[in-house]
Amino acid sequence: MKVSLIRARYPSVWEPTNLMYVSSFIKDRYQGNLEVQILDGFFDSDEKILNQISGSDYVGFSGTTPQVPHIKKLSKLVKKEYPSMKTVAGGYGPSLQPFLFLNDPTIDHLIVGEGEQSMLDVLNGTATEKLVSNQPIIDVDTIPNPDRDSIDLNRYIAIAEKDEGRRVTSIMTERGCAFGCTFCAEGEFGTIWRKADLSNKKLEYERAVRLRQRSAKLVVQEMLEVRDRFNITFFKMNDAETNPSKPHFVKLCKEMIKQEVNVPWGCNMRCDKVDDEMCELAVKANCEEFWMGLESGSPEIHRDINKGTTVEMIKRAFDVSKKYGIKRRTYALLGTPLESYETIKQTEELIDYVDPEIIGFSILAPYPGTAYWKPEYDKLDWSQIDEFSNTTWSSSNLTNEELRTEQARLIEKYSDKLAPIIRKKQKLGMGGSQTLDSIMGAM
């Protein structure tokens, strides 16, 4: 059996770890001969994809909400070219907007939630309904390492080498998120890590374990293997946060020291959990960068977004990590409902205090799965919207134009500290093509 897995097109690129995990899992568990290839719409044109999937029995599409339009376009092209080929859609986008796919005749199976077992069910023929959903795999150590044989990983490494001067790849140390930020699709609802049910004609999700951590020993063994095979000079931890609990982070650092990984790395960190012991161990384990969400300088906004951090926690985390010489990258989120000129001023004051080495400024995007999504937003062209450039969202006090003006002002003020993604967006031209007003007016 031949299976082609495709990551839908997006303006920026990262290796599709989710598809690499799905591939390794089905290769490990499928009873029979199985050939898998992983393609990417960032590199591969639609025409090339159609040529490369020739002879496939199944083709799977994956992507986030902004990639949904390309998934739907590809499924139509595939069915037109290869009518008997079975199509499967999954990932964050289809999981969060399943009703866009359930009545689509060009999609044979819709996977909602975690994809490994569901894709295996499809291949085994045990998935009898169009919608396929399973409880998350509790013991993530039983899932094989991502399949780096069925994808051209060097294409991704080459981009990082060109942009950053280092050979970068991703490692995942855990799945899910234990926290409930209102602006995140993994926050209030945690959709991707839960089982879906449509038996009552209404999409509902069963509660599942929100956070599952891999053993430090297996993580470090994977790092060593990938380091040597691909000559990696920097690892990016592909977690929502790598320190959701102090013991997890400490075990990782100690194992890296013990096994002498000796390659620098960086990770997302929660400010409320950063302390001297963690920083000291991180430096010994060659961790060079902490990526910490500042979000806002307003105490009121921090309470409203349900992140569990405070301005004082943020100051402490940045102070202690600076003391140990760790490069600090941060994110500021403009446009949460309580945002005003005064709260943006508070954010600016906090940025000036913590003095990060790298910063990015985004405007809230009301993605499906967040606390801010509304049914009418399904009419938006999400391929033109993301958290860095959108013309859709306004706070209670500021219009979208005012938010974008403030974003531009802050980008200009901190131009010497801009995150690479912001610089790329500037080159592409920041700003979406649709507004909520124009959509509502057309309804």
Side-chain angles (χ1 to χ4, degrees), residues 300-301 304 334-341 343 364 372 374 393-400 402-403:
E300 189 178 13
I301 285 179
D304 188 59
L334 307 176
T336 53
L338 302 180
E339 194 79 275
S340 65
Y341 283 120
T343 61
L364 190 147
Y372 308 113
K374 296 178 181 178
W393 181 256
S394 304
S395 75
S396 300
N397 305 294
L398 298 174
T399 66
N400 177 265
E402 289 169 330
L403 287 172

Side-chain angles (χ1 to χ4, degrees), residues 23-37:
S23 180
S24 66
F25 187 86
I26 60 177
K27 280 184 172 182
D28 183 63
R29 306 291 175 89
Y30 182 72
Q31 299 297 313
N33 294 324
L34 188 64
E35 176 189 349
V36 180
Q37 65 172 342

Side-chain angles (χ1 to χ4, degrees), residues 219-230:
V219 170
V220 175
Q221 285 176 350
E222 181 186 351
M223 293 176 73
L224 291 170
E225 177 190 332
V226 175
R227 177 199 69 184
D228 296 341
R229 181 177 174 187
F230 294 96

Side-chain angles (χ1 to χ4, degrees), residues 97 100 368 373-383 385 392 434-436 438-443:
Q97 295 179 292
L100 297 182
W373 177 84
K374 296 178 181 178
E376 56 264 33
Y377 294 172
D378 275 342
K379 300 293 183 180
L380 292 168
D381 180 1
W382 286 101
S383 66
I385 301 166
T392 64
Q434 287 188 303
T435 66
L436 290 177
S438 67
I439 290 297
M440 298 309 149
M443 292 179 65

Side-chain angles (χ1 to χ4, degrees), residues 360-371:
F361 296 95
S362 58
I363 294 175
L364 190 147
Y367 286 125
T370 70

Side-chain angles (χ1 to χ4, degrees), residues 8-254:
R9 187 168 297 119
Y10 193 66
S12 60
V13 68
W14 59 94
E15 65 266 47
T17 309
N18 60 332
L19 292 180
M20 293 157 68
Y21 267 115
V22 168
S23 180
S24 66
F25 187 86
I26 60 177
K27 280 184 172 182
D28 183 63
R29 306 291 175 89
Y30 182 72
Q31 299 297 313
N33 294 324
L34 188 64
E35 176 189 349
V36 180
Q37 65 172 342
I38 304 174
L39 308 174
D40 195 322
F42 179 86
F43 298 102
D44 306 316
S45 67
D46 293 350
E47 181 180 6
K48 185 175 182 181
I49 288 172
L50 287 174
N51 288 333
Q52 288 187 298
I53 66 172
S54 177
S56 297
D57 298 284
Y58 287 87
V59 57
F61 310 107
S62 179
T64 58
T65 298
Q67 294 164 285
V68 164
H70 191 226
I71 292 175
K72 293 180 75 66
K73 178 185 177 184
L74 281 175
S75 68
K76 289 179 173 61
L77 290 173
V78 169
K79 281 296 185 182
K80 181 178 179 181
E81 186 75 15
Y82 308 107
S84 63
M85 193 177 291
K86 296 295 183 182
T87 54
V88 185
Y92 269 94
S95 292
L96 293 165
Q97 295 179 292
F99 296 104
L100 297 182
F101 294 88
L102 282 173
N103 296 320
D104 186 339
T106 68
I107 297 294
D108 294 300
H109 288 287
L110 170 64
I111 292 177
V112 174
E114 194 168 88
E116 285 88 354
Q117 184 60 51
S118 294
M119 189 65 187
L120 184 62
D121 291 345
V122 169
L123 300 184
N124 284 335
T126 57
T128 58
E129 303 292 333
K130 181 167 186 173
L131 185 141
V132 189
S133 188
N134 282 280
Q135 287 286 6
I137 299 167
I138 300 302
D139 185 358
V140 290
D141 284 347
T142 64
I143 303 173
N145 289 341
D147 179 7
R148 296 179 171 92
D149 294 314
S150 300
I151 189 170
D152 185 357
L153 194 64
N154 282 306
R155 297 198 292 187
Y156 304 88
I157 295 172
I159 290 177
E161 195 165 20
K162 179 182 177 182
D163 291 348
E164 305 175 32
R166 56 191 186 185
R167 294 177 62 81
V168 182
T169 198
S170 300
I171 297 288
M172 183 175 284
T173 80
E174 62 191 23
R175 290 193 177 193
C177 180
F179 306 96
C181 304
T182 57
F183 55 83
C184 177
E186 275 309 324
E188 275 198 356
F189 306 104
T191 312
I192 197 70
W193 306 117
R194 296 160 71 180
K195 183 180 178 182
D197 178 57
L198 272 172
S199 58
N200 298 319
K201 306 299 181 183
K202 179 182 178 183
L203 183 66
E204 296 177 347
Y205 292 92
E206 297 178 14
R207 284 281 175 191
V209 177
R210 293 291 297 276
L211 182 67
R212 294 154 292 147
Q213 298 169 335
R214 298 176 65 199
S215 71
K217 185 175 182 179
L218 290 181
V219 170
V220 175
Q221 285 176 350
E222 181 186 351
M223 293 176 73
L224 291 170
E225 177 190 332
V226 175
R227 177 199 69 184
D228 296 341
R229 181 177 174 187
F230 294 96
N231 190 26
I232 297 302
T233 59
F234 189 87
F235 282 109
K236 177 182 67 175
M237 296 306 176
N238 193 18
D239 309 318
E241 59 277 317
T242 304
N243 69 332
S245 68
K246 184 174 179 177
H248 178 67
F249 188 82
V250 168
K251 287 177 184 176
L252 285 170
C253 290
K254 287 183 175 179

